[in-house]
Amino acid sequence: MTDQTNKISDTILIFDTTLRDGEQSPGCSMNLEEKLQVAEQLEAMGVDIIEAGFAIASEGDFEAVSAVAALVKRATVASLARAATADIERAAAAVRGAQRPRIHTFIATSPLHMRVKLNKSPEEVLEAISRSVGLARNLVPDVEWSAEDATRSDPDFLCRAVEAAIKAGARTINLPDTVGYATPETYGAMFRDVIARVPGADQAIFSTHCHNDLGLAVANTLAAVMAGARQVESTINGIGERAGNAAMEEIAMAIRVRHDVMPVRTNIVSTEITRASRLISGITGFQVQPNKAIVGANAFAHESGIHQDGMIKDKSTYEIMTPESVGVNTSNLVMGKHSGRAAFRQKLEELGYKLGDNEFQDAFVRFKALADAKKQIYDDDIVALVDDEVLRGHDRIQVREVEIYCGSNGPQRAILTLAVDGEDKTVTSRGNGPVDALFNAIRMIVPHDHSMLERYEVHAVTGGTDAQAEVSVLLSEDGRTTRGRGAHQDTMVASAKAYVNALNKLTVKRGRAPVDQRVAG
């Protein structure tokens, strides 16, 4: 084995693709500022490799990869590229400013994909592997190669493809379960077979990339780790194409908690996990289900009397990890309208926020307004407030003022003021209900006749009649979907914020290449 492989033989490298594969979730898109916030959090978590995007997909993607590359100081920054000269050269240009740049190039190796999608023979695919990896290796010192649809590839051909990639200079070999087809037994066996059979396999680090179509992404990933994989590709909250990717927080904590059966480690700072989860949820509008492992609202909740009795006597009876180990603050009710700036700043730090002076002042003013409207301020209230207000500060369309007139005698009426590129615009509209009237007003100020409202959801952030409302909307336009989120103690204001948030994201997404050109691993 090489010295490099020996040095990390007990360390599982975490390759996070939230900014690339995660962003390909239907309805999920991030602007540049949001991507930089995510990148900062990923680095704070100890992620080893950040896949920042697909540089050739659009100018926006190229700019985002370049900006992340310039921002990140410790982690490797990767850009995805197909086995094409233009893709690889564009990826190299995008990661040029990174301290540790990587090109992640791929091509399909399954008979189905080679025949239907590529229209190439196996020999042509092997030639493309050698050519593309060789080109990438001449442009950057760190090249990863992926066999798209590896789990449905012929084992003999897969070994030949991996051998060609290693010979051409790839030092990370990714064998993805692109369509979530594998089981833990078959996925682990594939890694053992390839590592054992391919000449020069000891010169490379083998990587996983599992999709969750059968709910087996994390299990498959851990099986591959046991079979010799030393890099795992994953996303925060498991977001991604279709049913999503392997959830990074679940992989990291499984390795940490079950070190007895998996004698390996990661570089993940587990206390940053909850902050990362909340950040991604806030930016994408994808709510984490309450019973989600590690980061769900119920992950450390105990309602059964038997369980509660055991917890009182010894928490280890029903908790295999502590809330604090994943960054959950167990204190809930400590803030109110009499709390000052110092206490508020300390609370923000406990929740994982590091705000600049202007952002902090803005958040504090909004906190005071919320405290006047609510008797008790919970941690989740503050998270919703900061994520919704501070993170949206640079959107080109912003909600200024909402007035709603409603009751049993319609039609209902909305008076709405939006700031569009810094200019305030006010309209009055009517509709079949207050929400319809409000959304009609938004359409009057920002026309978007080809967009459809696919989903509108409301839930309370915390309990009580004075709880903040959190609203999620899903907009679609010409095959693109975007999800927006808004929070406010007034449900109609939250609704306006959510719709406008989705509209801002749709504006960003209009310039993107179609999803089928931004292929997942």
PDB file of all heavy atoms in Angstrom, residues 332-345 347-348 363-379 381-382 385 466:
ATOM      1  N   ASN A 332     -34.033  24.840  27.112  1.00  0.00           N
ATOM      2  CA  ASN A 332     -34.999  25.331  26.139  1.00  0.00           C
ATOM      3  C   ASN A 332     -35.490  26.741  26.419  1.00  0.00           C
ATOM      4  O   ASN A 332     -35.454  27.597  25.567  1.00  0.00           O
ATOM      5  CB  ASN A 332     -36.214  24.390  26.090  1.00  0.00           C
ATOM      6  CG  ASN A 332     -36.215  23.538  24.849  1.00  0.00           C
ATOM      7  OD1 ASN A 332     -35.605  23.892  23.866  1.00  0.00           O
ATOM      8  ND2 ASN A 332     -36.904  22.416  24.916  1.00  0.00           N
ATOM      9  N   LEU A 333     -35.971  26.977  27.622  1.00  0.00           N
ATOM     10  CA  LEU A 333     -36.667  28.222  27.917  1.00  0.00           C
ATOM     11  C   LEU A 333     -35.780  29.178  28.705  1.00  0.00           C
ATOM     12  O   LEU A 333     -35.852  29.217  29.913  1.00  0.00           O
ATOM     13  CB  LEU A 333     -37.919  27.922  28.739  1.00  0.00           C
ATOM     14  CG  LEU A 333     -39.169  27.589  27.964  1.00  0.00           C
ATOM     15  CD1 LEU A 333     -40.294  27.273  28.928  1.00  0.00           C
ATOM     16  CD2 LEU A 333     -39.563  28.747  27.099  1.00  0.00           C
ATOM     17  N   VAL A 334     -34.960  29.937  28.041  1.00  0.00           N
ATOM     18  CA  VAL A 334     -34.080  30.847  28.776  1.00  0.00           C
ATOM     19  C   VAL A 334     -34.172  32.277  28.259  1.00  0.00           C
ATOM     20  O   VAL A 334     -33.597  33.175  28.838  1.00  0.00           O
ATOM     21  CB  VAL A 334     -32.610  30.381  28.706  1.00  0.00           C
ATOM     22  CG1 VAL A 334     -32.429  29.073  29.419  1.00  0.00           C
ATOM     23  CG2 VAL A 334     -32.147  30.258  27.260  1.00  0.00           C
ATOM     24  N   MET A 335     -34.912  32.510  27.184  1.00  0.00           N
ATOM     25  CA  MET A 335     -34.945  33.839  26.579  1.00  0.00           C
ATOM     26  C   MET A 335     -36.330  34.451  26.698  1.00  0.00           C
ATOM     27  O   MET A 335     -37.345  33.757  26.664  1.00  0.00           O
ATOM     28  CB  MET A 335     -34.543  33.768  25.102  1.00  0.00           C
ATOM     29  CG  MET A 335     -33.167  33.181  24.850  1.00  0.00           C
ATOM     30  SD  MET A 335     -31.830  34.086  25.653  1.00  0.00           S
ATOM     31  CE  MET A 335     -31.904  35.628  24.758  1.00  0.00           C
ATOM     32  N   GLY A 336     -36.369  35.767  26.824  1.00  0.00           N
ATOM     33  CA  GLY A 336     -37.628  36.493  26.901  1.00  0.00           C
ATOM     34  C   GLY A 336     -37.423  37.946  26.558  1.00  0.00           C
ATOM     35  O   GLY A 336     -36.327  38.367  26.170  1.00  0.00           O
ATOM     36  N   LYS A 337     -38.473  38.757  26.745  1.00  0.00           N
ATOM     37  CA  LYS A 337     -38.391  40.154  26.310  1.00  0.00           C
ATOM     38  C   LYS A 337     -37.424  40.979  27.161  1.00  0.00           C
ATOM     39  O   LYS A 337     -37.022  42.082  26.756  1.00  0.00           O
ATOM     40  CB  LYS A 337     -39.785  40.780  26.322  1.00  0.00           C
ATOM     41  CG  LYS A 337     -40.434  40.907  27.675  1.00  0.00           C
ATOM     42  CD  LYS A 337     -41.812  41.542  27.529  1.00  0.00           C
ATOM     43  CE  LYS A 337     -42.487  41.717  28.878  1.00  0.00           C
ATOM     44  NZ  LYS A 337     -43.824  42.352  28.737  1.00  0.00           N
ATOM     45  N   HIS A 338     -37.051  40.468  28.344  1.00  0.00           N
ATOM     46  CA  HIS A 338     -36.112  41.195  29.189  1.00  0.00           C
ATOM     47  C   HIS A 338     -34.657  40.796  28.938  1.00  0.00           C
ATOM     48  O   HIS A 338     -33.750  41.360  29.553  1.00  0.00           O
ATOM     49  CB  HIS A 338     -36.452  40.969  30.668  1.00  0.00           C
ATOM     50  CG  HIS A 338     -37.828  41.450  31.045  1.00  0.00           C
ATOM     51  ND1 HIS A 338     -38.202  42.770  30.951  1.00  0.00           N
ATOM     52  CD2 HIS A 338     -38.919  40.770  31.483  1.00  0.00           C
ATOM     53  CE1 HIS A 338     -39.467  42.893  31.335  1.00  0.00           C
ATOM     54  NE2 HIS A 338     -39.926  41.692  31.657  1.00  0.00           N
ATOM     55  N   SER A 339     -34.444  39.834  28.065  1.00  0.00           N
ATOM     56  CA  SER A 339     -33.080  39.390  27.771  1.00  0.00           C
ATOM     57  C   SER A 339     -32.340  40.489  27.001  1.00  0.00           C
ATOM     58  O   SER A 339     -32.894  41.129  26.102  1.00  0.00           O
ATOM     59  CB  SER A 339     -33.099  38.112  26.942  1.00  0.00           C
ATOM     60  OG  SER A 339     -33.742  37.069  27.662  1.00  0.00           O
ATOM     61  N   GLY A 340     -31.049  40.679  27.347  1.00  0.00           N
ATOM     62  CA  GLY A 340     -30.257  41.706  26.702  1.00  0.00           C
ATOM     63  C   GLY A 340     -29.404  41.176  25.573  1.00  0.00           C
ATOM     64  O   GLY A 340     -29.453  39.983  25.234  1.00  0.00           O
ATOM     65  N   ARG A 341     -28.603  42.070  25.008  1.00  0.00           N
ATOM     66  CA  ARG A 341     -27.757  41.699  23.875  1.00  0.00           C
ATOM     67  C   ARG A 341     -26.753  40.612  24.233  1.00  0.00           C
ATOM     68  O   ARG A 341     -26.511  39.689  23.445  1.00  0.00           O
ATOM     69  CB  ARG A 341     -27.017  42.941  23.351  1.00  0.00           C
ATOM     70  CG  ARG A 341     -27.866  43.860  22.500  1.00  0.00           C
ATOM     71  CD  ARG A 341     -27.052  45.066  22.026  1.00  0.00           C
ATOM     72  NE  ARG A 341     -27.778  45.824  21.030  1.00  0.00           N
ATOM     73  CZ  ARG A 341     -28.768  46.663  21.297  1.00  0.00           C
ATOM     74  NH1 ARG A 341     -29.136  46.848  22.565  1.00  0.00           N
ATOM     75  NH2 ARG A 341     -29.375  47.315  20.330  1.00  0.00           N
ATOM     76  N   ALA A 342     -26.151  40.708  25.414  1.00  0.00           N
ATOM     77  CA  ALA A 342     -25.132  39.721  25.789  1.00  0.00           C
ATOM     78  C   ALA A 342     -25.739  38.326  25.884  1.00  0.00           C
ATOM     79  O   ALA A 342     -25.166  37.343  25.397  1.00  0.00           O
ATOM     80  CB  ALA A 342     -24.482  40.111  27.118  1.00  0.00           C
ATOM     81  N   ALA A 343     -26.913  38.231  26.526  1.00  0.00           N
ATOM     82  CA  ALA A 343     -27.567  36.928  26.655  1.00  0.00           C
ATOM     83  C   ALA A 343     -27.982  36.390  25.295  1.00  0.00           C
ATOM     84  O   ALA A 343     -27.861  35.191  25.017  1.00  0.00           O
ATOM     85  CB  ALA A 343     -28.777  37.035  27.577  1.00  0.00           C
ATOM     86  N   PHE A 344     -28.476  37.301  24.431  1.00  0.00           N
ATOM     87  CA  PHE A 344     -28.900  36.873  23.103  1.00  0.00           C
ATOM     88  C   PHE A 344     -27.707  36.395  22.278  1.00  0.00           C
ATOM     89  O   PHE A 344     -27.782  35.384  21.581  1.00  0.00           O
ATOM     90  CB  PHE A 344     -29.616  38.021  22.392  1.00  0.00           C
ATOM     91  CG  PHE A 344     -30.184  37.647  21.052  1.00  0.00           C
ATOM     92  CD1 PHE A 344     -31.145  36.657  20.931  1.00  0.00           C
ATOM     93  CD2 PHE A 344     -29.739  38.287  19.905  1.00  0.00           C
ATOM     94  CE1 PHE A 344     -31.672  36.317  19.685  1.00  0.00           C
ATOM     95  CE2 PHE A 344     -30.253  37.952  18.663  1.00  0.00           C
ATOM     96  CZ  PHE A 344     -31.227  36.965  18.555  1.00  0.00           C
ATOM     97  N   ARG A 345     -26.596  37.110  22.376  1.00  0.00           N
ATOM     98  CA  ARG A 345     -25.399  36.690  21.644  1.00  0.00           C
ATOM     99  C   ARG A 345     -24.913  35.329  22.135  1.00  0.00           C
ATOM    100  O   ARG A 345     -24.524  34.470  21.337  1.00  0.00           O
ATOM    101  CB  ARG A 345     -24.284  37.732  21.787  1.00  0.00           C
ATOM    102  CG  ARG A 345     -23.070  37.464  20.893  1.00  0.00           C
ATOM    103  CD  ARG A 345     -21.983  38.503  21.089  1.00  0.00           C
ATOM    104  NE  ARG A 345     -22.374  39.822  20.657  1.00  0.00           N
ATOM    105  CZ  ARG A 345     -22.311  40.230  19.380  1.00  0.00           C
ATOM    106  NH1 ARG A 345     -21.893  39.410  18.434  1.00  0.00           N
ATOM    107  NH2 ARG A 345     -22.661  41.468  19.065  1.00  0.00           N
ATOM    108  N   LYS A 347     -26.749  32.993  23.474  1.00  0.00           N
ATOM    109  CA  LYS A 347     -27.691  31.988  22.981  1.00  0.00           C
ATOM    110  C   LYS A 347     -27.416  31.656  21.517  1.00  0.00           C
ATOM    111  O   LYS A 347     -27.431  30.483  21.115  1.00  0.00           O
ATOM    112  CB  LYS A 347     -29.122  32.485  23.169  1.00  0.00           C
ATOM    113  CG  LYS A 347     -30.197  31.628  22.481  1.00  0.00           C
ATOM    114  CD  LYS A 347     -30.151  30.169  22.889  1.00  0.00           C
ATOM    115  CE  LYS A 347     -30.526  29.967  24.336  1.00  0.00           C
ATOM    116  NZ  LYS A 347     -30.595  28.520  24.674  1.00  0.00           N
ATOM    117  N   LEU A 348     -27.148  32.665  20.701  1.00  0.00           N
ATOM    118  CA  LEU A 348     -26.821  32.412  19.299  1.00  0.00           C
ATOM    119  C   LEU A 348     -25.583  31.536  19.170  1.00  0.00           C
ATOM    120  O   LEU A 348     -25.534  30.624  18.331  1.00  0.00           O
ATOM    121  CB  LEU A 348     -26.611  33.733  18.555  1.00  0.00           C
ATOM    122  CG  LEU A 348     -27.841  34.610  18.320  1.00  0.00           C
ATOM    123  CD1 LEU A 348     -27.441  35.896  17.624  1.00  0.00           C
ATOM    124  CD2 LEU A 348     -28.886  33.865  17.500  1.00  0.00           C
ATOM    125  N   ALA A 363     -30.832  40.721  13.840  1.00  0.00           N
ATOM    126  CA  ALA A 363     -31.451  39.581  14.518  1.00  0.00           C
ATOM    127  C   ALA A 363     -31.974  39.975  15.891  1.00  0.00           C
ATOM    128  O   ALA A 363     -33.049  39.517  16.314  1.00  0.00           O
ATOM    129  CB  ALA A 363     -30.442  38.444  14.638  1.00  0.00           C
ATOM    130  N   PHE A 364     -31.233  40.832  16.604  1.00  0.00           N
ATOM    131  CA  PHE A 364     -31.645  41.236  17.953  1.00  0.00           C
ATOM    132  C   PHE A 364     -32.929  42.068  17.899  1.00  0.00           C
ATOM    133  O   PHE A 364     -33.840  41.886  18.725  1.00  0.00           O
ATOM    134  CB  PHE A 364     -30.534  42.033  18.631  1.00  0.00           C
ATOM    135  CG  PHE A 364     -30.847  42.412  20.055  1.00  0.00           C
ATOM    136  CD1 PHE A 364     -30.864  41.456  21.052  1.00  0.00           C
ATOM    137  CD2 PHE A 364     -31.134  43.733  20.393  1.00  0.00           C
ATOM    138  CE1 PHE A 364     -31.161  41.790  22.362  1.00  0.00           C
ATOM    139  CE2 PHE A 364     -31.433  44.081  21.695  1.00  0.00           C
ATOM    140  CZ  PHE A 364     -31.445  43.104  22.684  1.00  0.00           C
ATOM    141  N   VAL A 365     -33.017  42.963  16.938  1.00  0.00           N
ATOM    142  CA  VAL A 365     -34.227  43.779  16.790  1.00  0.00           C
ATOM    143  C   VAL A 365     -35.431  42.879  16.524  1.00  0.00           C
ATOM    144  O   VAL A 365     -36.508  43.046  17.111  1.00  0.00           O
ATOM    145  CB  VAL A 365     -34.052  44.806  15.659  1.00  0.00           C
ATOM    146  CG1 VAL A 365     -35.387  45.479  15.314  1.00  0.00           C
ATOM    147  CG2 VAL A 365     -33.018  45.852  16.058  1.00  0.00           C
ATOM    148  N   ARG A 366     -35.260  41.901  15.660  1.00  0.00           N
ATOM    149  CA  ARG A 366     -36.358  40.992  15.334  1.00  0.00           C
ATOM    150  C   ARG A 366     -36.689  40.083  16.517  1.00  0.00           C
ATOM    151  O   ARG A 366     -37.847  39.727  16.741  1.00  0.00           O
ATOM    152  CB  ARG A 366     -36.011  40.185  14.093  1.00  0.00           C
ATOM    153  CG  ARG A 366     -35.838  41.056  12.855  1.00  0.00           C
ATOM    154  CD  ARG A 366     -35.472  40.243  11.625  1.00  0.00           C
ATOM    155  NE  ARG A 366     -35.125  41.095  10.502  1.00  0.00           N
ATOM    156  CZ  ARG A 366     -36.004  41.685   9.689  1.00  0.00           C
ATOM    157  NH1 ARG A 366     -37.289  41.506   9.896  1.00  0.00           N
ATOM    158  NH2 ARG A 366     -35.603  42.451   8.701  1.00  0.00           N
ATOM    159  N   PHE A 367     -35.674  39.712  17.279  1.00  0.00           N
ATOM    160  CA  PHE A 367     -35.900  38.917  18.487  1.00  0.00           C
ATOM    161  C   PHE A 367     -36.752  39.695  19.487  1.00  0.00           C
ATOM    162  O   PHE A 367     -37.684  39.155  20.090  1.00  0.00           O
ATOM    163  CB  PHE A 367     -34.564  38.522  19.116  1.00  0.00           C
ATOM    164  CG  PHE A 367     -34.658  38.117  20.556  1.00  0.00           C
ATOM    165  CD1 PHE A 367     -35.245  36.910  20.919  1.00  0.00           C
ATOM    166  CD2 PHE A 367     -34.181  38.948  21.563  1.00  0.00           C
ATOM    167  CE1 PHE A 367     -35.348  36.536  22.252  1.00  0.00           C
ATOM    168  CE2 PHE A 367     -34.277  38.589  22.893  1.00  0.00           C
ATOM    169  CZ  PHE A 367     -34.865  37.375  23.236  1.00  0.00           C
ATOM    170  N   LYS A 368     -36.437  40.966  19.690  1.00  0.00           N
ATOM    171  CA  LYS A 368     -37.198  41.790  20.625  1.00  0.00           C
ATOM    172  C   LYS A 368     -38.657  41.923  20.175  1.00  0.00           C
ATOM    173  O   LYS A 368     -39.583  41.888  20.995  1.00  0.00           O
ATOM    174  CB  LYS A 368     -36.560  43.177  20.745  1.00  0.00           C
ATOM    175  CG  LYS A 368     -35.339  43.215  21.651  1.00  0.00           C
ATOM    176  CD  LYS A 368     -35.721  42.910  23.095  1.00  0.00           C
ATOM    177  CE  LYS A 368     -34.589  43.178  24.052  1.00  0.00           C
ATOM    178  NZ  LYS A 368     -34.976  42.914  25.459  1.00  0.00           N
ATOM    179  N   ALA A 369     -38.845  42.075  18.857  1.00  0.00           N
ATOM    180  CA  ALA A 369     -40.210  42.173  18.341  1.00  0.00           C
ATOM    181  C   ALA A 369     -40.966  40.869  18.577  1.00  0.00           C
ATOM    182  O   ALA A 369     -42.149  40.870  18.944  1.00  0.00           O
ATOM    183  CB  ALA A 369     -40.179  42.509  16.849  1.00  0.00           C
ATOM    184  N   LEU A 370     -40.274  39.758  18.382  1.00  0.00           N
ATOM    185  CA  LEU A 370     -40.901  38.457  18.629  1.00  0.00           C
ATOM    186  C   LEU A 370     -41.193  38.268  20.111  1.00  0.00           C
ATOM    187  O   LEU A 370     -42.243  37.750  20.495  1.00  0.00           O
ATOM    188  CB  LEU A 370     -39.985  37.339  18.115  1.00  0.00           C
ATOM    189  CG  LEU A 370     -40.489  35.901  18.297  1.00  0.00           C
ATOM    190  CD1 LEU A 370     -41.791  35.690  17.518  1.00  0.00           C
ATOM    191  CD2 LEU A 370     -39.428  34.906  17.840  1.00  0.00           C
ATOM    192  N   ALA A 371     -40.267  38.694  20.963  1.00  0.00           N
ATOM    193  CA  ALA A 371     -40.447  38.547  22.405  1.00  0.00           C
ATOM    194  C   ALA A 371     -41.634  39.358  22.906  1.00  0.00           C
ATOM    195  O   ALA A 371     -42.323  38.954  23.855  1.00  0.00           O
ATOM    196  CB  ALA A 371     -39.174  38.961  23.141  1.00  0.00           C
ATOM    197  N   ASP A 372     -41.899  40.497  22.289  1.00  0.00           N
ATOM    198  CA  ASP A 372     -43.074  41.286  22.663  1.00  0.00           C
ATOM    199  C   ASP A 372     -44.367  40.580  22.268  1.00  0.00           C
ATOM    200  O   ASP A 372     -45.408  40.779  22.913  1.00  0.00           O
ATOM    201  CB  ASP A 372     -43.021  42.663  21.987  1.00  0.00           C
ATOM    202  CG  ASP A 372     -42.015  43.597  22.657  1.00  0.00           C
ATOM    203  OD1 ASP A 372     -41.706  43.384  23.847  1.00  0.00           O
ATOM    204  OD2 ASP A 372     -41.532  44.532  21.976  1.00  0.00           O
ATOM    205  N   ALA A 373     -44.295  39.768  21.205  1.00  0.00           N
ATOM    206  CA  ALA A 373     -45.495  39.087  20.725  1.00  0.00           C
ATOM    207  C   ALA A 373     -45.697  37.722  21.383  1.00  0.00           C
ATOM    208  O   ALA A 373     -46.810  37.206  21.418  1.00  0.00           O
ATOM    209  CB  ALA A 373     -45.415  38.909  19.206  1.00  0.00           C
ATOM    210  N   LYS A 374     -44.622  37.137  21.898  1.00  0.00           N
ATOM    211  CA  LYS A 374     -44.695  35.800  22.500  1.00  0.00           C
ATOM    212  C   LYS A 374     -44.299  35.859  23.965  1.00  0.00           C
ATOM    213  O   LYS A 374     -43.409  36.610  24.355  1.00  0.00           O
ATOM    214  CB  LYS A 374     -43.742  34.824  21.785  1.00  0.00           C
ATOM    215  CG  LYS A 374     -44.179  34.397  20.415  1.00  0.00           C
ATOM    216  CD  LYS A 374     -43.394  33.167  19.965  1.00  0.00           C
ATOM    217  CE  LYS A 374     -43.625  32.025  20.916  1.00  0.00           C
ATOM    218  NZ  LYS A 374     -43.189  30.735  20.419  1.00  0.00           N
ATOM    219  N   LYS A 375     -44.917  35.038  24.773  1.00  0.00           N
ATOM    220  CA  LYS A 375     -44.572  34.995  26.193  1.00  0.00           C
ATOM    221  C   LYS A 375     -43.242  34.288  26.426  1.00  0.00           C
ATOM    222  O   LYS A 375     -42.467  34.684  27.289  1.00  0.00           O
ATOM    223  CB  LYS A 375     -45.676  34.277  26.973  1.00  0.00           C
ATOM    224  CG  LYS A 375     -46.999  35.013  26.978  1.00  0.00           C
ATOM    225  CD  LYS A 375     -48.054  34.211  27.755  1.00  0.00           C
ATOM    226  CE  LYS A 375     -49.397  34.936  27.743  1.00  0.00           C
ATOM    227  NZ  LYS A 375     -50.443  34.177  28.459  1.00  0.00           N
ATOM    228  N   GLN A 376     -43.015  33.232  25.663  1.00  0.00           N
ATOM    229  CA  GLN A 376     -41.823  32.410  25.883  1.00  0.00           C
ATOM    230  C   GLN A 376     -41.129  32.168  24.553  1.00  0.00           C
ATOM    231  O   GLN A 376     -41.770  31.841  23.556  1.00  0.00           O
ATOM    232  CB  GLN A 376     -42.204  31.067  26.523  1.00  0.00           C
ATOM    233  CG  GLN A 376     -42.873  31.232  27.890  1.00  0.00           C
ATOM    234  CD  GLN A 376     -43.440  29.922  28.418  1.00  0.00           C
ATOM    235  OE1 GLN A 376     -43.879  29.069  27.659  1.00  0.00           O
ATOM    236  NE2 GLN A 376     -43.430  29.767  29.733  1.00  0.00           N
ATOM    237  N   ILE A 377     -39.801  32.321  24.545  1.00  0.00           N
ATOM    238  CA  ILE A 377     -39.012  32.134  23.336  1.00  0.00           C
ATOM    239  C   ILE A 377     -38.203  30.848  23.465  1.00  0.00           C
ATOM    240  O   ILE A 377     -37.380  30.703  24.373  1.00  0.00           O
ATOM    241  CB  ILE A 377     -38.033  33.310  23.101  1.00  0.00           C
ATOM    242  CG1 ILE A 377     -38.801  34.635  23.076  1.00  0.00           C
ATOM    243  CG2 ILE A 377     -37.256  33.115  21.808  1.00  0.00           C
ATOM    244  CD1 ILE A 377     -39.773  34.758  21.938  1.00  0.00           C
ATOM    245  N   TYR A 378     -38.480  29.911  22.575  1.00  0.00           N
ATOM    246  CA  TYR A 378     -37.773  28.629  22.559  1.00  0.00           C
ATOM    247  C   TYR A 378     -36.584  28.708  21.595  1.00  0.00           C
ATOM    248  O   TYR A 378     -36.506  29.588  20.729  1.00  0.00           O
ATOM    249  CB  TYR A 378     -38.704  27.500  22.116  1.00  0.00           C
ATOM    250  CG  TYR A 378     -39.839  27.214  23.071  1.00  0.00           C
ATOM    251  CD1 TYR A 378     -40.999  27.978  23.049  1.00  0.00           C
ATOM    252  CD2 TYR A 378     -39.759  26.161  23.984  1.00  0.00           C
ATOM    253  CE1 TYR A 378     -42.053  27.715  23.916  1.00  0.00           C
ATOM    254  CE2 TYR A 378     -40.807  25.889  24.855  1.00  0.00           C
ATOM    255  CZ  TYR A 378     -41.948  26.671  24.809  1.00  0.00           C
ATOM    256  OH  TYR A 378     -42.983  26.404  25.670  1.00  0.00           O
ATOM    257  N   ASP A 379     -35.670  27.743  21.747  1.00  0.00           N
ATOM    258  CA  ASP A 379     -34.530  27.681  20.830  1.00  0.00           C
ATOM    259  C   ASP A 379     -35.004  27.615  19.379  1.00  0.00           C
ATOM    260  O   ASP A 379     -34.440  28.269  18.495  1.00  0.00           O
ATOM    261  CB  ASP A 379     -33.657  26.454  21.138  1.00  0.00           C
ATOM    262  CG  ASP A 379     -32.873  26.622  22.428  1.00  0.00           C
ATOM    263  OD1 ASP A 379     -32.943  27.706  23.032  1.00  0.00           O
ATOM    264  OD2 ASP A 379     -32.195  25.656  22.832  1.00  0.00           O
ATOM    265  N   ASP A 381     -37.634  28.799  18.080  1.00  0.00           N
ATOM    266  CA  ASP A 381     -38.093  30.108  17.639  1.00  0.00           C
ATOM    267  C   ASP A 381     -36.933  30.952  17.135  1.00  0.00           C
ATOM    268  O   ASP A 381     -37.032  31.636  16.110  1.00  0.00           O
ATOM    269  CB  ASP A 381     -38.776  30.854  18.801  1.00  0.00           C
ATOM    270  CG  ASP A 381     -40.143  30.288  19.144  1.00  0.00           C
ATOM    271  OD1 ASP A 381     -40.920  30.030  18.213  1.00  0.00           O
ATOM    272  OD2 ASP A 381     -40.417  30.104  20.340  1.00  0.00           O
ATOM    273  N   ILE A 382     -35.824  30.919  17.870  1.00  0.00           N
ATOM    274  CA  ILE A 382     -34.658  31.715  17.498  1.00  0.00           C
ATOM    275  C   ILE A 382     -34.038  31.177  16.214  1.00  0.00           C
ATOM    276  O   ILE A 382     -33.643  31.943  15.329  1.00  0.00           O
ATOM    277  CB  ILE A 382     -33.623  31.737  18.643  1.00  0.00           C
ATOM    278  CG1 ILE A 382     -34.227  32.441  19.871  1.00  0.00           C
ATOM    279  CG2 ILE A 382     -32.344  32.431  18.211  1.00  0.00           C
ATOM    280  CD1 ILE A 382     -33.351  32.405  21.091  1.00  0.00           C
ATOM    281  N   LEU A 385     -36.203  32.307  13.397  1.00  0.00           N
ATOM    282  CA  LEU A 385     -36.049  33.743  13.191  1.00  0.00           C
ATOM    283  C   LEU A 385     -34.761  34.066  12.448  1.00  0.00           C
ATOM    284  O   LEU A 385     -34.759  34.808  11.455  1.00  0.00           O
ATOM    285  CB  LEU A 385     -36.087  34.449  14.548  1.00  0.00           C
ATOM    286  CG  LEU A 385     -35.944  35.968  14.592  1.00  0.00           C
ATOM    287  CD1 LEU A 385     -36.702  36.521  15.787  1.00  0.00           C
ATOM    288  CD2 LEU A 385     -34.479  36.394  14.702  1.00  0.00           C
ATOM    289  N   ASP A 466     -49.545  31.330  20.488  1.00  0.00           N
ATOM    290  CA  ASP A 466     -48.661  32.409  20.045  1.00  0.00           C
ATOM    291  C   ASP A 466     -47.429  31.893  19.315  1.00  0.00           C
ATOM    292  O   ASP A 466     -46.457  32.619  19.126  1.00  0.00           O
ATOM    293  CB  ASP A 466     -48.236  33.285  21.227  1.00  0.00           C
ATOM    294  CG  ASP A 466     -47.442  32.505  22.276  1.00  0.00           C
ATOM    295  OD1 ASP A 466     -47.352  31.261  22.156  1.00  0.00           O
ATOM    296  OD2 ASP A 466     -46.912  33.135  23.216  1.00  0.00           O
TER     297      ASP A 466
END
